Structures are given as C-alpha cells and as structure tokens.
Amino acid sequence: MPSTNGAGRAYDAERSPLLGRQNGSKASGTVDKDKQEEEALRSSNPFIVDSTNPRFRRIPVLACLIVLIFEMDFFIKHIPMMRLIESLLCIDYYEAHDRSIIDQYGKKIPERLCKADVIQVEVGRMAGLMLFYLMVGALIVTIPVGHIADTRGRKWPLFNNALTWAFFGASQLFIYLTYPLLPIWTLYFSGAYALIGGNFDLGVAVLLSSVSDVVPSDTQRTALFFIITSMMYVSQAIFAPIGGWLLDLDGQGGTPWVPYVIGIGSEVALAILIAVAYPETLTKSPTLQHDSGHQPLPQKSIKERNVLQKAKRQLSQVIYRKWKEVGSSVQGIGVGPLLVLGSVMLLVTVGTKSCGWYALVQYPVMKFGWKYSQSTLSLSMLAIVSVVNFAFVIPYFTRLWARALSSTQNANLLIMSISAVLLFIGATIVGLSWNTATFLGGLMVYSLGEGLPIAVQGYIISVVDGTRVARVLSLMSAAKTAGKMIASASYAKILAWGVQTHIDLLIGLPFFASAGLFVICGMLIAVHILWLS
C-alpha cells in the first residue's frame, strides 16, 4: 500500500505501526518507534490531544458535554411534546363530540380520555409536520453554515445552533400556554427558527469537524466520534424518564410545560458555555498546522478560485463551485461512491427516525395501552444499550478490525454492513411483537445497529481532505435532514394505513417499512464495497 493516497495525503501516522518506513538509519528507527508508541497511547485513550494549548486539550470533553446538553433539551421534552400536542387536540375533539368533558375539566383533560385512534393518528401527523418544517429550514441553511464553519470558524455556528433549539421550544410553550388565543396549527411555525442555526445534525457535523481539527489520527477520530455520539444516548437514558415524570406531576399528564421550561433553560446555558468556554479550532486543522504532505494549490487553481469568488452572487457559479469542492474533497473514492454513502445516510435516517421519533413512543401506547410517561421505558432501554454499544463495543471492534484489516476505513465498512443487518432484524421483531417482552427484545437488537450513521461519518472523515471536512459532513447532514423530512411526512400516513386496516399486526407497519429501508441500505453498502474493489 503506498504511503500517500490520490489527494496527496502524506505518510499517515495512522498507518505507521503497520507500514513504517525503513531507511536504515538509527535516528529514523527511533522516530518510527516514538510514533508507534504515541499511536498506541492514543488508541488506548482517544481523549489525548496533541496540543501545547490546554484549551484545545479540553475539546473532546467539551464536545461530549455539548452533545449531552443538546440532547438533554430534546429528550426531556420529546414525549412531553407529544403530550402537549395530544392535550390541545383532545380539547378540540371534545369541543366537537362531547362538550360536557370540556365543562368538567376545562383545558386540563386527563390523558386517559385522549387515547382515541383518531386523536393518536392526528398526534403523529402534527408532530411529523412540525419536525418536517424544522428540517426544511435546516436544509436551507446547511450549505451556508458548512461554508461558514470551514472559512470563518466552528464556534459561532455551534452557538447559533443552540439558540435555534431554545427558540423552537419557547415558541411551542407560548402557544400551549396561551391556547386558544393562537390556534393549534401555529405550532408549525416553530420550525422556522431552524433558519438561525440549522438542526441537531448540522450542529454535530460542525462539532465533529472541530474535533477533527485537533485530532490527527483516523482511529482516534473514529473512536471519539462514537464516544461523543454515545452522549446522545446517555442523555436519552437519563432525561427521557425525567421528562416523562415531569409531564405527569399531577397524575393526569397535565404538566408538559415543566420539562419545556427546563429544556429551554438548558439550551440558553449551552449557548453561554459555547460563547465563553469553547475555543475556535479552525486554525488547528491538521491539514493547515501539520506537515501532512499536502502540496499548495497550483497558481492556476488559485486564480480560478478567485474568479469564482468574484462571481459568488451568481447562483450557477455557486452550484458549480460547491460541486467542484465536493469532488476535490474526497480522496480515493470519488463523487459517485460519496453519493452512494449519502443515499445510505438518507435511507437509514428515514428508517431510524420513523422508529425512534414516533413508533417507539406511540406503538406501545396504541398496542399495549401504555401512557406516554410509560413510553420512556422503551427510550431508556434503547439508550442504555446504545451507550454501551457506542462507548465501548463499537470503538473496541473498530480498533480490533482496523488492525486485522490493515485499515480503519475497512473496519468502518464492516461495522456499517453488520449494523444494517441488526437494524433489519430488530425492526422486524419489534413490528411482530405480541407482548412487552418481545417488544423490548427486538428493541435491544435494533439498538445494536444504530451505529450505522456514525460509521458512515467516520469512514468519510478518514478519506476527506481536512480543509473541507465541515463542508462534506454538512452534505451528510443535509442527507440526514432530508431523511428526517421524509420520516416526518410519511410516518403518520403509514401509521394511519396500518390502523385503518383494523388488523392488530399492522399497527407495526412503520417498523416493517423501516426494515425494508435497512435492506436497501445493506445493498447500497455492498455496491460501495464492490465499487472500491
């Protein structure tokens, strides 16, 4: 295997233990030995950052904390959001069908009276459309935010992302507290705040780009990406049950506003933390700061880029430049395989978000008669298994298979393939479940496959020019955002089709549809592997 790839990346410290150069000199042998010892240390502890500035050494820990707080806001009010929508729809339902319930309870109708199928289908539809409009806004700003993160810095896009979620929650809370002053459909406008800073996926893309700036080793990056992402599941395990408890403080599901207040406060605190404590890492990019063998751009390329810069206001030139940047960013695989991986990201997001956002919450409510506060059991179990999987299992096998297959890229491809199979098996079991035990068993298998999107990102990071990491990850974020849009718009329709058949098995139709998507993901991964070979 040559020491440099097609984009000019020089001899990689990632490969030095396996492909160490032999030049016969004692000094060179000592240097190679030092590099091997350093790489072994980083593999055993991915939080070690080679920097003389202590602020940059804190980046991995700060990244974990940022994801934890990001997801705290989401999960502490995820199920309360469903209950918030349900409570408003329940008022409208009894206004039309039984006014005596309104006279008896006013706006605080007990949750047990709001479980009619027609209400639940509408809850799924509204929740889906609310997130759909949020994703539309996020998709609009994906490329501009990625460009800003790569040219102006990572810090302020992260700050704006935190503000987005604070405004998103605050607007929903205001509508709930003032209802019926504002009609239910105004909840859809809460998604417009994504135009400030995008969605969670875009924020994580910028965050991972920042981490890659100060972590030069591919194996270390991959391990850190899984550990940082596992914080999402740590937050889910802790705060989803807390959110379920807080929305039911009165025993009737009448306090969804409490977790909203806490979630909004957490995002404001996170924005302050980023502004005060998070360092700018753009100038620490390994491609810019370290001798990684990249040659300066030819003079002709510089002139062409200046011409395009002058023409940036012309839409056609902007599109052309972005396409060229994507093509030049991908080392050794080309634009075609990148599009295949983008398709995998799109489809797996549709499947996992249809399951995770809605089905795992509404499915036990409709099939097993759970309350929304009880649905936190499924989310917590999913989170606990995923924390172990992301923080320990996948990083361990990544290191093991990277040594066995002589490549971190090959290890990530293997993880992607296995994850697609596990997602398919788990979603099928959950959809077929006939009691709580089979439901939770299928959920465990499903959760072991949720590393697929992160494995895709880790694989792409290992082959992309460091100066364009944020832009390429932003494109993957756009694929995930599009997947969430599709999931938001399609889930309620698929659920309604299943319910309307009045066949108990087809309440799990969203899981069966997701299982089909996971099969297609596995086929696309196989196509990508064949393409490379």
Side-chain angles (χ1 to χ4, degrees):
M1 183 181 296
S3 62
T4 59
N5 55 25
R9 175 171 292 183
Y11 176 66
D12 192 338
E14 167 67 18
R15 297 178 175 83
S16 59
L18 297 173
L19 304 175
R21 292 175 176 173
Q22 304 295 326
N23 61 9
S25 70
K26 182 176 179 180
S28 177
T30 302
V31 171
D32 286 346
K33 183 177 180 181
D34 290 342
K35 287 184 178 180
Q36 292 176 11
E37 291 175 353
E38 180 184 350
E39 181 63 26
L41 182 61
R42 284 177 175 168
S43 295
S44 63
N45 185 0
F47 284 90
I48 294 175
V49 174
D50 181 18
S51 176
T52 56
N53 190 329
R55 298 185 71 202
F56 292 122
R57 293 175 184 173
R58 296 197 301 264
I59 288 291
V61 174
L62 280 174
C64 289
L65 181 61
I66 288 171
V67 171
L68 188 71
I69 300 175
F70 261 141
E71 290 298 282
M72 170 190 170
D73 168 54
F74 180 81
F75 284 109
I76 204 170
K77 69 179 195 295
H78 177 50
I79 291 180
M81 182 184 79
M82 305 290 280
R83 173 56 190 151
L84 181 149
I85 297 169
E86 182 190 62
S87 64
L88 298 183
L89 290 171
C90 196
I91 294 171
D92 279 4
Y93 176 82
Y94 284 107
E95 283 278 5
H97 293 86
D98 189 352
R99 179 68 194 182
S100 64
I101 298 296
I102 303 295
D103 295 336
Q104 181 177 356
Y105 296 105
K107 291 174 60 176
K108 295 185 177 181
I109 301 175
E111 183 180 352
R112 60 185 170 80
L113 298 178
C114 301
K115 299 306 179 186
D117 284 348
V118 64
I119 295 176
Q120 292 306 310
V121 170
E122 187 64 15
V123 168
R125 188 187 72 84
M126 281 204 69
L129 286 176
M130 285 168 61
L131 291 170
F132 174 82
Y133 294 128
L134 177 73
M135 298 307 147
V136 170
L139 196 60
I140 291 172
V141 301
T142 292
I143 291 179
V145 169
H147 181 75
I148 291 171
D150 266 347
T151 57
R152 302 293 183 180
R154 325 290 200 192
K155 179 173 182 173
W156 296 110
L158 284 174
F159 176 83
N160 290 340
N161 196 264
L163 289 184
T164 293
W165 287 101
F167 286 124
F168 180 67
S171 61
Q172 294 172 11
L173 179 61
F174 178 78
I175 293 168
Y176 171 76
L177 294 176
T178 59
Y179 182 81
L181 178 64
L182 294 174
I184 296 177
W185 55 264
T186 55
L187 286 170
Y188 296 141
F189 288 102
S190 61
Y193 291 105
L195 294 171
I196 296 175
N199 63 344
F200 171 75
D201 295 313
L202 187 55
V204 169
V206 175
L207 186 65
L208 295 182
S209 301
S210 179
V211 172
S212 71
D213 290 340
V214 297
V215 178
S217 165
D218 287 343
T219 302
Q220 187 181 4
R221 284 180 192 167
T222 301
L224 273 175
F225 287 177
F226 278 109
I227 292 170
I228 290 168
T229 305
S230 74
M231 293 299 103
M232 175 177 69
Y233 295 102
V234 171
S235 188
Q236 182 175 333
I238 296 172
F239 296 108
I242 292 175
W245 170 65
L246 291 173
L247 77 84
D248 199 33
L249 291 177
D250 61 355
Q252 304 292 333
T255 54
W257 60 271
V258 176
Y260 263 82
V261 171
I262 296 173
I264 295 164
S266 71
E267 290 292 356
V268 173
L270 177 59
I272 295 172
L273 173 68
I274 293 170
V276 173
Y278 198 85
E280 180 53 64
T281 64
L282 181 60
T283 56
K284 289 293 293 181
S285 172
T287 314
L288 299 177
Q289 290 293 104
H290 300 287
D291 181 16
S292 59
H294 286 286
Q295 300 301 320
L297 289 173
Q299 190 64 28
K300 180 180 178 182
S301 297
I302 295 174
K303 291 179 179 178
E304 289 175 351
R305 189 170 61 176
N306 289 337
V307 171
L308 290 177
Q309 185 67 22
K310 293 177 182 178
K312 64 182 179 180
R313 294 184 180 180
Q314 300 177 14
L315 181 59
S316 60
Q317 293 288 350
V318 171
I319 295 173
Y320 172 76
R321 184 181 58 181
K322 292 302 177 184
W323 177 257
K324 294 294 288 183
E325 285 174 353
V326 172
S328 62
S329 296
V330 184
Q331 301 177 4
I333 61 173
V335 174
L338 180 63
L339 293 176
V340 172
L341 293 176
S343 299
V344 171
M345 188 71 79
L346 171 72
L347 295 176
V348 75
T349 302
V350 175
T352 56
K353 295 311 175 184
S354 292
C355 294
W357 273 352
Y358 313 114
L360 293 179
V361 176
Q362 282 197 289
Y363 181 76
V365 169
M366 300 182 70
K367 190 158 188 176
F368 307 127
W370 292 10
K371 294 173 65 177
Y372 273 114
S373 57
Q374 293 173 302
S375 292
T376 58
L377 172 63
S378 60
L379 293 180
S380 296
M381 182 174 176
L382 174 67
I384 291 169
V385 176
S386 297
V387 167
V388 175
N389 191 33
F390 276 59
F392 303 105
V393 177
I394 294 180
Y396 170 77
F397 281 105
T398 299
R399 293 192 296 269
L400 180 67
W401 291 335
R403 290 194 295 268
L405 300 174
S406 302
S407 169
T408 303
Q409 292 93 324
N410 290 338
N412 281 322
L413 286 172
L414 182 57
I415 290 172
M416 288 158 56
S417 303
I418 295 173
S419 296
V421 173
L422 291 172
L423 285 172
F424 165 73
I425 295 173
T428 303
I429 294 174
V430 171
L432 293 172
S433 61
W434 56 89
N435 55 32
T436 300
T438 52
F439 170 70
L440 295 179
L443 186 60
M444 287 186 65
V445 177
Y446 171 87
S447 62
L448 291 173
E450 285 215 309
L452 176 54
I454 306 303
V456 173
Q457 288 181 319
Y459 173 76
I460 290 173
I461 279 288
S462 67
V463 295
V464 169
D465 182 350
T467 60
R468 295 181 174 91
V469 164
R471 275 170 277 190
V472 176
L473 284 185
S474 293
L475 290 175
M476 290 298 105
S477 171
K480 293 179 71 174
T481 299
K484 290 180 178 181
M485 290 170 61
I486 296 171
S488 302
S490 63
Y491 164 77
K493 294 184 182 296
I494 296 173
L495 176 65
W497 292 339
V499 170
Q500 288 167 6
T501 63
H502 303 292
I503 299 174
D504 189 57
L505 178 65
L506 292 184
I507 293 177
L509 188 59
F511 289 104
F512 301 138
S514 295
L517 294 178
F518 300 143
V519 171
I520 298 174
C521 287
M523 295 170 64
L524 288 173
I525 292 169
V527 168
H528 178 75
I529 294 172
L530 291 174
W531 197 326
L532 293 182
S533 63

